[in-house]
Amino acid sequence: MPEASPHRAKMAVMFAVGAAILAAVDAVIVRALNGAVHPFVIGFFRAFFGAVILLPFVVLRPSVLRSSHPLRQHAVRAGFKLLAMVAFFAAFSWGPLADVTAIAFTSPIFLLLGAALALGEKPGPAMIGAAALGFAGAMLIIGPSGTGFSAAILLALTGAVLQSTIQLILKSMSKGDSTSTLVVWNLLLTVPIALLFALPFWTMPGAREMTLLALQGVVGTACMGMMTHAFSLAPATIVAPVDFLRLPLVALGGFALFGEHIALTTLCGGGLIGFAALIAARSGKATSG
């Protein structure tokens, strides 16, 4: 992508800030459900309400469904996306919001490692340094003085690995399809896949839970759209740093609504992971150019 104009860069940052705010709200909604809804059921309703919002767009622009990739490839990506969402939903339900969010930012480091292993991209000094720095940040959060290897942290790491796998799949699929086509097929296929996973754990949510799930569907879809638009306006090196606004916002929400206190190890570890992810983003840009 060519260098963005000042106006486009400013608009990209504004959209990225909006997406970060909505992502923080999403995490808070999951915690507010307080374990009353199984993570797979949350995943189904998240996809269902998101698909409902997108249906008018599909009806008005049916050409968005035209894809150069087979349906099974979209289904595989939707499956990985669902598992990543469910892993993060469970992590947000069971662990400190700030810790889980900080661990989620390790995804770009896993992406670079995955590109080296799966695509044969040679790791340069910057990539190796980013991976080491991200690992150090994660260890600071989950080390002896931090949270520890709790189920929530392990689920957050799993979600980060799955998220990087999705990005590797997208790296090839985005060459043939537009962003809107990829987003629409992802949501439409996630609904039936999520329903299959949710059925063994199904209990009908109450009125309060259903309201929160509907709100989450709106928030999640809007967040995805705003971040996608931000990346279309400016390079990742401008947009990606804004995403780290999620960490203080989530920490603030956790403190205000649930009395969670953010540990110094989380702040320091999150800072190291954020710096590592920025190095990874710049390294990825350099190798792809």
Side-chain angles (χ1 to χ4, degrees), residues 1-6 8-13 16 227-243 278 281-282 285-286 288:
M1 177 182 287
E3 187 176 347
S5 67
R8 286 173 67 88
K10 182 179 179 181
M11 291 299 296
V13 168
M227 187 56 82
T228 300
H229 190 55
F231 277 112
S232 73
L233 292 172
T237 48
I238 293 176
V239 177
V242 183
D243 192 36
L278 293 181
R282 290 183 177 274
K285 181 185 177 187
S288 62

Side-chain angles (χ1 to χ4, degrees), residues 36 113 159 161 163 166 170-171 174 201 233-234 244 250 254 260 275:
L113 294 174
V161 172
Q163 192 66 42
I166 295 164
L170 274 175
K171 193 171 185 179
S174 60
F201 311 99
L233 292 172
F244 294 108
V250 166
E260 293 184 0
F275 187 53

Side-chain angles (χ1 to χ4, degrees), residues 69-133:
H69 301 290
L71 193 63
R72 65 178 178 275
Q73 196 168 356
H74 288 285
V76 168
R77 186 172 73 91
F80 276 117
K81 179 69 174 178
L82 171 66
L83 292 176
M85 279 198 307
V86 169
F88 283 127
F89 291 160
F92 282 128
S93 296
W94 302 336
L97 292 177
D99 288 5
V100 171
T101 302
I103 293 297
F105 285 132
T106 59
S107 183
I109 292 96
F110 287 121
L111 175 59
L112 279 184
L113 294 174
L117 293 172
L119 305 179
E121 296 182 4
K122 295 182 179 178
M127 174 181 166
I128 295 172
L133 201 60

Side-chain angles (χ1 to χ4, degrees), residues 4-55:
S5 67
H7 174 70
R8 286 173 67 88
K10 182 179 179 181
M11 291 299 296
V13 168
M14 289 176 63
F15 276 104
V17 168
I21 294 171
L22 291 178
V25 172
D26 192 0
V28 169
I29 289 174
V30 174
R31 172 54 64 81
L33 287 168
N34 198 29
V37 184
H38 192 278
F40 275 118
V41 179
I42 297 176
F44 165 73
F45 280 109
R46 165 72 172 272
F48 174 78
F49 285 116
V52 168
I53 293 169
L54 280 183
L55 276 179

